[in-house]
């Protein structure tokens, strides 16, 4: 496919790659609404750079709560082995990646593409931030595609602001196609299908606004009427498929943004032949052993039409197939939820949450805990309390202080009912700190005292933390003598305490 009206932007990328080859790395944000042509543009940049750069692509997942550092995990096979050794911390991995970009084998520059950053997990955004600040002395061009209209939800917009002035940061805007490009596409389409009535190109531009996906989808619908919306355009094409092909589309739509062919094959009652027709008609694509929709907008249009019962059934089958393949817990939690299987959600979502939290994807950790808590009424008290406690901590880390208070209080109530004094005391200490963050200083002081009263008696890490909390409150009130006194008491208790429990962490520094 020849790209229309992208010469200038392709020249920019080629220029940045040249600079990158000379050791002046660049990170360029490629901006444009859904369907404008970001993926097509990046594919062209990659094709143009073949031979002169090492291409590495990783995509963010918009189908489920994303797995932490998903794009980097996808890139690993194309990167040197030592970038992510087992057990390495996130900071270590980031540093190792930058070291590779600074000094690539043979000085052949890297061309890294992070697709759809508006769906990035928090850890991936941190990675982009880390790289953006260091790219200027790397032998690498990093392209980060995103939709401006969706960039607020995950914190990407903030990141764009923070990194805009970094030395190596650039921006490439992809505009909609002009009326003359739309006319040319319509004419090209009409020439290829002489029997059909020609589409009114003015009307096509008016309805699509020059959005490349919408234009090409509307043309492929092969009607002389221009569909009113992208969804109509997609569904008009789908309606013309045979029943097995339509069912296959539903399976692919539910299976995620780029499921493996063999997974799809396992789920298709009519066999893999069922995807032949959608592939032939350009609705689906097979790329590197994956089956994908031509575009996410098409996947969403199909997904929206899947009857609820069939969706649940397909999620169950997907869950079973993916469990046996040892898929990422974030993916398993997504299908377990879609399958409405409480036990499976409670098996996978907390694991996904812990992993997300460990890698710094705290927003995703919150989403996984929230998902687990929806099914938590069937859990025994101790497990339910732990879920609330962990959720409280992740809410605190993501600045959802009121929510953190609610969940910490839930955990506290459960522990109180079962007489777990140490946990209760620790929860009061935690609530005290959260109250302070919420601007309720008096509550914070009172709760700090309750924590100490409950924990007093035997030296423990929890008691030390309760004193430390009081010392901090004194410090925040500019009471230096009080700070010193309670600080000393904290150290004395610590000196005589047993080793700490892993659970003692709420509202401490991450
Ligand atoms: N510059 C272009 N000229 C012609 N068609 C284009 C152009 N860019 C994209 N397309 C068409 O639009 C479709 C959607 O583009 P895509 O790159 O997937 O959009 P995005 O990644 O921005 O959502 C492509 O499959 C292609 O058919
Ligand atoms: Mg795209």
């Amino acid at each position: 496919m020849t790209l229309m009206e992208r010469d200038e932007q392709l020249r920019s990328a080629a220029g940045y790659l040249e600079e990158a080859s000379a050791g002046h790395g660049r990170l360029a944000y490629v901006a444009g609404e859904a369907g404008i042509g970001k993926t097509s543009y990046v594919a062209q940049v990659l094709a143009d750079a073949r031979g002169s750069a090492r291409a590495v692509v990783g995509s963010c997942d918009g189908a489920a709560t994303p797995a932490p550092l998903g794009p980097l995990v996808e890139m690993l096979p194309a990167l040197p082995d030592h970038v992510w050794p087992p057990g390495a911390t996130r900071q270590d991995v980031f540093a190792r990646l930058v070291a590779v970009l600074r000094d690539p084998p043979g000085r052949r520059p890297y061309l890294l593409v992070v697709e759809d950053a508006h769906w990035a997990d928090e850890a991936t955004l941190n990675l982009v931030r880390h790289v953006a600040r260091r790219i200027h002395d790397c032998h690498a061009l990093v392209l980060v595609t995103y939709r401006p209209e969706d960039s607020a939800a995950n914190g990407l917009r903030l990141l764009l602001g923070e990194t805009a002035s970094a030395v190596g940061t650039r921006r490439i805007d992809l505009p909609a196609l002009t009326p003359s490009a739309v006319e040319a596409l319509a004419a090209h389409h009409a020439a290829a299908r002489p029997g059909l009535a020609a589409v009114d190109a003015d009307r096509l531009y008016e309805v699509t606004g020059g959005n490349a996906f919408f234009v090409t989808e509307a043309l492929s619908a092969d009607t002389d009427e221009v569909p009113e919306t992208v969804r109509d355009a997609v569904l008009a094409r789908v309606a013309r498929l045979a029943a097995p092909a339509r069912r296959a589309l539903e399976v692919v739509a539910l299976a995620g943004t780029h499921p493996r062919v063999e997974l799809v094959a396992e789920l298709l009652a009519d066999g893999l032949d069922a995807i032949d027709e959608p592939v032939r008609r350009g609705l689906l694509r097979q790329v590197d052993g994956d089956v994908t929709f031509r575009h996410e907008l098409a996947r969403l249009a199909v997904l929206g039409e899947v009857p609820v019962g069939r969706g649940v059934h397909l999620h169950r089958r997907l869950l079973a197939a993916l469990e046996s393949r040892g898929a990422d817990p974030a993916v398993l939690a997504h299908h377990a939820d879609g399958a409405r299987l409480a036990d499976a959600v409670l098996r996978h979502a907390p694991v996904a949450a812990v992993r997300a939290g460990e890698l710094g994807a705290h927003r995703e950790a919150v989403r996984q805990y929230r998902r687990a808590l929806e099914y938590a009424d069937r859990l025994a008290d101790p497990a339910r309390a732990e879920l609330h406690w962990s959720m409280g901590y992740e809410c605190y880390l993501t600045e959802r202080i009121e929510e953190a208070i609610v969940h910490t209080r839930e955990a506290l109530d459960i522990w109180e009912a079962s007489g777990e004094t140490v946990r209760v005391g620790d929860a009061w200490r935690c609530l005290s700190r959260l109250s302070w963050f919420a601007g309720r200083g008096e509550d914070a002081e009172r709760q700090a005292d309750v924590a100490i009263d409950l924990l007093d008696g035997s030296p423990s890490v929890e008691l030390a933390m309760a004193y430390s909390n009081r010392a901090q409150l004194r410090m925040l009130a500019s009471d230096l003598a009080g700070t010193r006194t309670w600080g000393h008491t904290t150290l004395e208790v610590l000196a005589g305490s047993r080793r700490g429990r892993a659970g003692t962490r709420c509202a401490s520094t991450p």
Side-chain angles (χ1 to χ4, degrees):
M1 182 189 73
T2 18
L3 290 190
M4 312 198 64
E5 305 187 321
R6 295 293 181 253
D7 289 354
E8 186 191 324
Q9 291 85 353
L10 288 169
R11 271 199 303 277
S12 298
Y16 300 152
L17 192 56
E18 239 169 67
E19 292 169 352
S21 305
H24 307 296
R26 303 288 175 241
L27 183 143
Y29 293 110
V30 178
E33 67 181 34
I36 210 78
K38 299 178 294 299
T39 300
S40 311
Y41 167 74
V42 160
Q44 191 58 52
V45 174
L46 288 165
D48 292 349
R50 199 173 297 134
S52 61
R54 297 163 203 276
V56 194
V57 182
S59 307
C60 301
D61 187 359
T65 299
L69 294 177
L72 181 60
V73 170
E74 209 177 303
M75 289 176 172
L76 285 179
L79 292 169
D81 289 344
H82 55 79
V83 169
W84 195 337
T89 64
R90 188 185 67 160
Q91 282 311 318
D92 191 17
V93 175
F94 289 5
R96 284 162 176 272
L97 176 65
V98 170
V100 167
L101 300 184
R102 283 206 172 113
D103 191 14
R107 278 289 154 101
R108 195 157 148 238
Y110 274 102
L111 173 50
L112 251 57
V113 177
V114 179
E115 267 266 61
D116 296 321
H118 49 277
W119 288 320
D121 64 279
E122 193 179 347
T124 295
L125 292 184
N126 287 331
L127 174 62
V128 172
R129 182 182 288 110
H130 187 93
V131 172
R133 289 179 177 151
R134 292 162 181 81
I135 193 72
H136 56 88
D137 61 359
C138 291
H139 288 76
L141 168 61
V142 182
L143 298 177
V144 180
T145 72
Y146 78 99
R147 303 176 182 169
E149 72 272 23
D150 293 326
S151 66
N154 70 342
L156 172 64
R157 193 169 288 170
L158 219 67
L159 165 72
L160 295 170
E162 282 169 23
T163 53
S165 59
V167 184
T169 302
R170 298 290 182 275
R171 192 185 153 106
I172 297 171
D173 283 304
L174 297 182
L177 299 175
T178 63
S180 62
V182 173
E183 196 181 330
L185 283 173
H188 184 263
H189 189 79
R193 291 180 174 68
L196 281 173
V199 168
D200 176 347
D202 290 341
R203 171 94 186 116
L204 183 61
Y205 178 77
E206 195 183 306
V207 171
T208 61
N211 180 290
F213 174 71
F214 195 175
V215 171
T216 49
E217 198 68 7
L219 286 171
S220 305
D222 281 339
T223 53
D224 43 5
E225 277 292 303
V226 179
E228 285 294 328
T229 64
V230 172
R231 195 175 147 272
D232 292 342
V234 173
L235 295 180
R237 292 181 71 191
V238 173
R240 253 180 270 125
L241 299 175
R246 286 204 304 273
R247 280 197 297 273
L249 281 188
E250 292 181 348
V251 169
V252 177
L254 263 105
T257 43
H258 43 275
R260 303 295 295 168
V261 174
E262 58 276 12
L263 175 71
V264 172
E266 189 177 322
L267 269 89
L268 290 177
D270 307 294
L272 198 58
D273 290 353
I275 68 167
D276 286 351
E277 191 188 357
V279 168
R280 206 171 47 245
R281 290 180 181 272
L283 273 154
L284 292 181
R285 285 181 177 156
Q286 267 185 266
V287 189
D288 300 334
D290 293 343
V291 188
T292 60
F293 273 83
R294 182 165 83 90
H295 198 274
E296 178 66 10
L297 293 175
R299 191 183 78 83
L300 289 178
V302 171
L303 195 63
E305 297 296 300
V306 179
V308 176
R310 179 158 162 75
V312 169
H313 169 72
L314 283 174
H315 274 301
R316 284 187 185 187
R317 296 195 52 208
L318 279 160
L319 176 66
L322 287 163
E323 271 181 338
S324 72
R325 287 168 167 79
D328 190 285
V331 173
L332 297 176
H334 167 74
H335 291 298
D337 200 6
R340 310 217 177 127
L341 292 172
D343 288 348
V345 171
L346 291 169
R347 198 163 57 242
H348 298 303
V351 178
V354 168
R355 182 165 163 73
E358 280 170 358
L359 289 171
H362 299 294
R363 207 166 27 86
E364 285 66 37
V366 166
R367 286 167 69 180
Q368 297 292 5
Y369 280 128
R370 185 169 291 139
R371 169 178 272 156
L373 281 163
E374 274 173 34
Y375 297 85
D377 48 356
R378 62 175 51 216
L379 284 179
D381 283 349
R384 201 156 39 84
E386 290 299 342
L387 270 187
H388 281 295
W389 179 244
S390 301
M391 173 68 160
Y393 180 59
E394 292 294 344
C395 285
Y396 157 72
L397 292 181
T398 47
E399 293 171 39
R400 295 167 167 88
I401 299 300
E402 294 301 340
E403 223 182 318
I405 290 173
V406 169
H407 286 286
T408 306
R409 185 75 219 206
E410 290 275 353
L412 188 156
D413 289 346
I414 297 170
W415 287 327
E416 195 161 57
S418 54
E420 295 208 45
T421 312
V422 175
R423 302 297 309 256
V424 175
D426 200 35
W428 279 115
R429 186 264 311 165
C430 175
L431 280 175
S432 161
R433 191 151 168 75
L434 292 170
S435 292
W436 187 84
F437 277 116
R440 296 193 284 275
E442 281 180 19
D443 286 356
E445 294 281 359
R446 193 174 41 77
Q447 290 161 339
D449 293 344
V450 175
I452 291 171
D453 286 350
L454 278 168
L455 294 165
D456 216 358
S458 67
S460 64
V461 171
E462 288 80 1
L463 178 60
M465 290 192 59
Y467 280 128
S468 167
N469 177 55
R470 186 184 268 168
Q472 288 177 56
L473 289 176
R474 291 292 83 221
M475 187 182 69
L476 293 164
S478 304
D479 168 7
L480 293 187
T483 309
R484 205 171 289 123
T485 304
W486 297 115
H488 278 304
T489 312
T490 303
L491 292 174
E492 276 164 24
V493 173
L494 266 183
S497 76
R498 60 182 166 76
R499 280 171 56 84
R501 251 202 346 258
T504 311
R505 61 177 191 188
C506 181
S508 48
T509 311

